[in-house]
Amino acid sequence: MKISICDKCKFFNHKEIIKLLDENFENINYEIGCNNMCGVGRNNIVLFVNNKPVIAKNKDELIKKVRDI
């Protein structure tokens, strides 16, 4: 699984999200850097899973959405 995550978004700490994802999933390849989703990243957790955008209000919603991909 390839996950692109921004290290500059203000709403979430990317290191905490990476730790959470590592606890719930295996074989993740991370790409860390801006995803050009700055506006959305002010109020949501934003990342791309296998090039598909995932936007969540909280960590529980994020895990559920990643599982569904």
Side-chain angles (χ1 to χ4, degrees):
M1 176 183 322
K2 177 185 164 194
I3 294 183
S4 298
I5 187 168
C6 181
D7 58 346
K8 303 201 184 319
C9 286
K10 305 292 185 203
F11 184 76
F12 62 94
N13 181 325
H14 76 285
K15 291 179 183 178
E16 288 179 14
I17 299 301
I18 289 171
K19 182 179 176 183
L20 177 71
L21 292 168
D22 284 341
E23 291 171 357
N24 287 279
F25 303 98
E26 296 180 0
N27 301 322
I28 301 174
N29 295 320
Y30 292 102
E31 186 176 290
I32 299 171
C34 183
N35 288 324
N36 296 317
M37 297 289 284
C38 303
V40 178
R42 287 186 199 128
N43 301 311
N44 298 283
I45 301 169
V46 180
L47 48 84
F48 285 81
V49 178
N50 298 329
N51 297 319
K52 295 178 185 172
V54 175
I55 300 168
K57 292 284 183 191
N58 57 54
K59 294 175 184 178
D60 292 331
E61 183 181 353
L62 176 71
I63 294 300
K64 181 182 180 312
K65 286 185 173 187
V66 172
R67 277 201 176 105
D68 290 344
I69 290 182

